[in-house]
Amino acid sequence: EVQLVESGGGLVQPGRSLRLSCAASRFTFDDYAMHWVRQVPGKGLEWVSGITWNSGNIGYADSVKGRFTISRDNAKSSLYLQMNSLRAEDTAFYYCVKGYGQWLVSAFDCWGQGTLVTVSS
Amino acid sequence: QSVLTQPPSASGTPGQRVTISCSGSSSNIGDNYVYWYQQLPGMAPKLLIYRNNQRPSGVPDRFSGSKSGTSASLAISGLRSEDEADYYCAAWDDSLSGVIFGGGTELTVL
């Protein structure tokens, strides 16, 4: 069974940075696109960013464009999200999500358990 | 405010059939596949329907999806108490060049 384990969440002050990691296992990581989706506790889902299997195509939600950077290391089966200039409205659970295929336009067929990022002074 | 519009809540009694709507536009639902996700209380979301009407293995055939023009629907037949969850529709948006979600529908089994 596919396993996605997020780490790196925590409490951070506004304006500071944080890097999330996702360790993937039990599937061929470099065959699939990967994404980050976030959810404010008690609220709905918001797609944050996605990256194709070979990092050739990357997308961001307008709300994080210019502040967040997604990347992946296929040799380590790992996905990352570098979050800079954090704001209070970035507070949310961040889910690591596997795409159904190689490209950004696909279903999200496996989700991690999420890591909580809290931006507060 | 979400680009895809869902009713905030829906309800039904055990055994009943309920439908959840998802309304979009030509840049998202009108031109791309629709996906549906189920989020049980305290859990991560789970893929329920992909490519408008396809079920991943393990998803009961009580769940079905459809799409017409710029709208989509999720139908749940033979409603069970364990279906009580939040349901989200999603689609790629060509104008935004990204994935968009509906605001979610909280389903209550009475």
Side-chain angles (χ1 to χ4, degrees), chain A residues 41-102:
Chain A
K43 301 296 184 182
L45 301 172
E46 180 188 17
W47 176 79
V48 173
S49 182
I51 184 168
T52 53
W53 65 285
N54 62 353
S55 304
N57 193 9
I58 288 174
Y60 297 99
D62 286 345
S63 57
V64 306
K65 205 170 288 184
R67 301 188 299 122
F68 289 12
T69 302
I70 192 172
S71 62
R72 63 190 295 162
D73 185 335
N74 286 346
K76 295 182 178 179
S77 295
S78 293
L79 178 72
Y80 306 100
L81 185 68
Q82 177 66 42
M83 304 186 294
N84 298 332
S85 303
L86 282 162
R87 306 166 180 167
E89 53 264 37
D90 295 318
T91 295
F93 283 98
Y94 285 74
Y95 292 102
C96 172
V97 183
K98 173 185 169 291
Y100 188 66
Q102 295 182 331

Side-chain angles (χ1 to χ4, degrees), chain A residues 39 43-44 47 105 107-108 111-112, chain B residues 35 37 39 44-45 47 88 98-99:
Chain A
Q39 184 174 35
K43 301 296 184 182
W47 176 79
V105 186
F108 298 157
W111 298 62
Chain B
Y35 307 93
Y37 300 91
Q39 187 173 31
L47 178 64
Y88 296 90
V99 178

